Amino acid sequence: MEIQNINTILIALTTVLNILFAIVVIFVERRDVSSTWAWLLVLFFLPILGFLVYIFLGRQLKQKNFYKLSEEERRFLNEAVNVQMDHLTRSDFLHNPLLQRYGDLIKMNMKSSNALLSNDNDVKIFHHGKDKFDALFQDIQNAKIEINLQYYIIQRDSLAVRLRDELTKKAKEGIRVRVLYDEVGSRRMNRSFFKELIESGGEVEVFFPSFLKLINFRINTRNHRKICIIDGEIAYIGGFNIGNEYLGLVKKFGNWRDTHLRILGEAVNHIQGRFVLDWKQATNQETINHEAYSMNQERHCGNSAIQIIASGPNSTTEHLKNMYLKLIMSAQKSVYIQTPYFIPDSSFMDACKIALLSGVDVRIMIPSKPDHPFVYWANLAYAGELLSYGAKILLYENGFLHAKTILVDQEVASVGTTNIDMRSFRLNFEVNALINDEKIAHDLYDLFVEDCNHSFELTLSRYQERSGFVRFKESISRLLSPIL
């Protein structure tokens, strides 16, 4: 009888706890409806254990003042946006026809994510790792003031050793060196790797570090950004992380095809500002000021107009997804997409379908070599759905495609860290450069055409001939797509 009473009490207690957990999910977190139902099902089928899963994978970030900005800091960061929003009403600000044509997109980015527009940038495109890292190391060697470096992945390999040693040399010269890496992405990394750099005056921090190196309550929330700012004069942004695979030296991937930008101009200020905010969050020490956010106001390095758009789970708005949607809906002729992960939500799929039905040439290039089997089959499932609408699906075969690029009408392009999946849209901290420059767009178009020479076109007839087993794998992968 006592055992029965204990069992009854345990069942009642479990039920009460599950109800409380459900109340948290429904009324406190205030998620979208699909996510709410998904977590309620987890709690229902996995009592108590489901809540532990929720603690590690499901908790949302505090969205109000995530970066712990003071009122003074908020005023400083908002002032430039308010001034530029006023200027947007003047025709002389959007001075060239291209900017006027995409004026609504520029305004949306500014209102949504405080993305300032700069008109005086010089942009260089890298698509091979060796070229990118040769340029980066050269700029690091020439640094005179400071080096700010932030990557999702820093591997413990020869490239990382070379980077660490170069940074240590600069720190010994009195240059301020700051390194920020993501705990989950750089799971093989630890501070001991940077021991000599730290002893030489360098600063190394981890974004969302683990508790006792074993437990990470933010394992599902990643800082996926890959940026470097040198002397407040040069900035790098794009898809390359730090590791030998990005040089094409890892057999599993072979040739690594990515896209990264080296930027000179006022946009460097805005990338620098993004680093400072993330550094402040990781250290809880940095006070934002004019010098930290913008080291040099006089740029005038080129003619490329750029907005730096950032997004993350700290925001109630999916800024980068909205930018993608607006880009696609703005297209009149063509939309060319390169992405390693094509696992979009329904809004992105609808935008592609509307563009296709409107006569826009939509081409999507994804890897033919998967880095994760579920991702590969989910890619095919979503891309295959667009074939019947007229999309051209290209499977890149010359190694692994990791570029994250959208090119519209060969006029405007987005290059950055954001994949086309729900993780990048909702869970990751990401950053992209939106470039309004026909020359840069043409260069990216030429790269796309060259990549087509190394790609296999998946036709509708070929896709419809896939086996029942392949269809099954696609269905399972699509079901798992929200967590891939």
Side-chain angles (χ1 to χ4, degrees), residues 14-67:
T14 301
T15 302
V16 170
L17 287 174
N18 254 27
I19 292 173
L20 291 175
F21 298 157
I23 290 172
V24 169
V25 172
I26 295 173
F27 297 106
V28 178
E29 294 274 332
R30 298 186 68 85
R31 300 169 173 272
D32 63 86
V33 175
S34 61
S35 295
T36 298
W37 278 112
W39 281 111
L40 288 177
L41 287 173
V42 170
L43 292 173
F44 177 78
F45 286 109
L46 298 172
I48 305 302
L49 178 60
F51 185 70
L52 293 177
V53 174
Y54 167 79
I55 288 293
F56 284 95
L57 300 180
R59 288 192 308 156
Q60 292 182 315
L61 288 183
K62 180 182 70 173
Q63 294 173 337
K64 185 177 180 181
N65 202 13
F66 172 76
Y67 288 106

Side-chain angles (χ1 to χ4, degrees), residues 359-373:
V360 175
D361 176 17
V362 177
R363 306 186 185 194
I364 301 170
M365 188 179 293
I366 55 178
S368 66
K369 176 180 289 189
D371 66 339
H372 190 294

Side-chain angles (χ1 to χ4, degrees), residues 86-213:
D86 290 338
H87 289 173
L88 282 176
T89 61
R90 302 204 316 257
S91 60
D92 62 327
F93 187 77
L94 299 179
H95 56 278
N96 74 48
L98 183 62
L99 292 180
Q100 293 173 12
R101 195 149 56 243
Y102 293 95
D104 289 345
L105 173 63
I106 293 168
K107 291 176 184 176
M108 186 202 74
N109 291 330
M110 199 173 297
K111 289 181 179 179
S112 174
S113 61
N114 294 337
L116 293 172
L117 175 70
S118 55
N119 293 303
D120 60 352
N121 303 285
D122 177 77
V123 178
K124 183 173 183 179
I125 303 168
F126 295 102
H127 60 280
H128 288 302
K130 183 180 183 304
D131 295 336
K132 182 260 181 176
F133 287 110
D134 283 349
L136 176 63
F137 284 123
Q138 185 65 51
D139 287 333
I140 287 174
Q141 291 166 4
N142 293 333
K144 298 293 188 294
I145 303 172
E146 70 173 25
I147 301 165
N148 296 319
L149 186 144
Q150 176 180 353
Y151 281 89
Y152 171 58
I153 295 175
I154 303 180
Q155 302 282 23
R156 291 182 70 104
D157 58 21
S158 59
L159 182 63
V161 168
R162 180 185 172 194
L163 174 68
R164 178 198 63 193
D165 292 348
E166 292 290 351
L167 294 176
T168 302
K169 290 178 185 177
K170 301 309 292 187
K172 289 179 178 178
E173 293 174 10
I175 307 300
R176 186 180 190 186
V177 175
R178 293 187 286 187
V179 177
L180 178 63
Y181 64 88
D182 183 81
E183 174 82 326
V184 176
S186 305
R187 54 188 173 275
R188 295 188 181 92
M189 184 56 64
N190 54 49
R191 286 173 60 87
S192 64
F193 179 82
F194 297 99
K195 183 175 183 292
E196 186 179 359
L197 171 61
I198 295 170
E199 290 175 348
S200 302
E203 303 167 75
V204 178
E205 294 292 343
V206 182
F207 198 90
F208 284 167
S210 299
F211 177 68
L212 299 177
K213 292 299 292 183

Side-chain angles (χ1 to χ4, degrees), residues 334-463:
S334 62
V335 176
Y336 293 169
I337 296 172
Q338 289 181 307
T339 178
Y341 311 123
F342 188 74
I343 312 174
D345 63 6
S346 58
S347 64
F348 192 96
M349 289 291 285
D350 287 343
C352 290
K353 291 173 183 177
I354 291 170
L356 287 162
L357 292 170
S358 302
V360 175
D361 176 17
V362 177
R363 306 186 185 194
I364 301 170
M365 188 179 293
I366 55 178
S368 66
K369 176 180 289 189
D371 66 339
H372 190 294
F374 286 114
V375 170
Y376 176 75
W377 296 113
N379 274 355
L380 288 182
Y382 284 100
E385 183 180 334
L386 295 177
L387 283 170
S388 60
Y389 288 82
K392 291 187 177 181
I393 306 302
L394 301 154
L395 304 181
Y396 185 78
E397 297 183 311
N398 186 29
F400 185 70
L401 176 72
H402 194 249
K404 306 147 196 312
T405 304
I406 293 185
L407 175 63
V408 169
D409 291 346
Q410 298 181 40
E411 293 179 334
V412 60
S414 169
V415 175
T417 69
T418 309
N419 298 310
I420 299 175
D421 62 12
M422 286 168 268
R423 176 170 296 281
S424 275
F425 292 162
R426 299 175 185 171
L427 297 176
N428 289 350
F429 293 87
E430 307 279 6
V431 62
N432 280 38
L434 179 68
I435 310 161
N436 290 268
D437 186 317
E438 290 176 294
K439 180 184 181 304
I440 298 301
H442 184 74
D443 290 343
L444 290 169
Y445 170 77
D446 287 344
L447 280 175
F448 191 94
V449 171
E450 174 62 24
D451 291 333
C452 288
N453 296 329
H454 302 286
S455 300
F456 167 78
E457 183 176 350
L458 179 65
T459 62
L460 179 60
S461 60
R462 181 71 175 264
Y463 182 69

